[in-house]
Amino acid sequence: NTGDYSASTNTGYRSASTNTGYRSASTNTGDRSASTVDGKDSIAIAWGRNSKAKGSKGCYLVLAEYNENGDIINAKMEYVDGKKIKDGIFYKLVDGKFEEVKDE
C-alpha cells in the first residue's frame, strides 16, 4: 500500500504487509510474517509468532513474543531512531528485547 494516512493489513502464514505513506500503518498477524513501513510517523505491527518488523527513521515498530504454547509473553513498541533501532533493519522480539533479524 502507498499513500499518506493509509493502512495495509494482512494475515496469513509467511505473509507480508508494507506501507510507504506518511503517518500510515502496516499490520500483519500471520505467523512468520513481516510488516514494513517507510513513512515518517508510521507504525509497523508484526503480531504473529516468529514475525518481524522494520521501518525507516521516524517510524515505530510493535512486536509480540510467544511461548511454546502460543501464548503472548511479551509485547513492545520501539521508535526507529537510527541508533538503538536502526533504519531499514528487520527486528523480532526475543526475551523481551528487540533483536536484529539475521538473513533467513
Side-chain angles (χ1 to χ4, degrees):
N1 193 4
T2 188
D4 294 346
Y5 303 95
S6 58
S8 173
T9 303
N10 199 353
T11 189
Y13 183 71
R14 291 187 181 254
S15 57
S17 177
T18 302
N19 203 322
T20 61
Y22 174 74
R23 291 192 176 183
S24 297
S26 172
T27 306
N28 204 322
T29 61
D31 292 351
R32 302 191 61 78
S33 296
S35 184
T36 304
V37 288
D38 193 28
K40 188 176 181 325
D41 294 327
S42 293
I43 188 165
I45 302 166
W47 210 253
R49 290 172 55 174
N50 299 308
S51 291
K52 59 189 178 182
K54 74 175 176 178
S56 59
K57 189 173 180 182
C59 294
Y60 293 86
L61 308 180
V62 178
L63 295 168
E65 181 180 8
Y66 296 79
N67 65 17
E68 59 280 347
N69 296 324
D71 302 316
I72 294 174
I73 57 172
N74 282 308
K76 289 206 174 176
M77 178 171 74
E78 288 283 353
Y79 180 71
V80 181
D81 62 1
K83 295 176 184 172
K84 179 181 176 185
I85 302 297
K86 299 174 188 168
D87 183 345
I89 300 293
F90 273 111
Y91 287 88
K92 62 183 176 178
L93 198 59
V94 177
D95 296 326
K97 297 178 184 167
F98 274 61
E99 181 178 285
E100 288 185 31
V101 175
K102 307 299 181 214
D103 291 330
E104 294 182 338

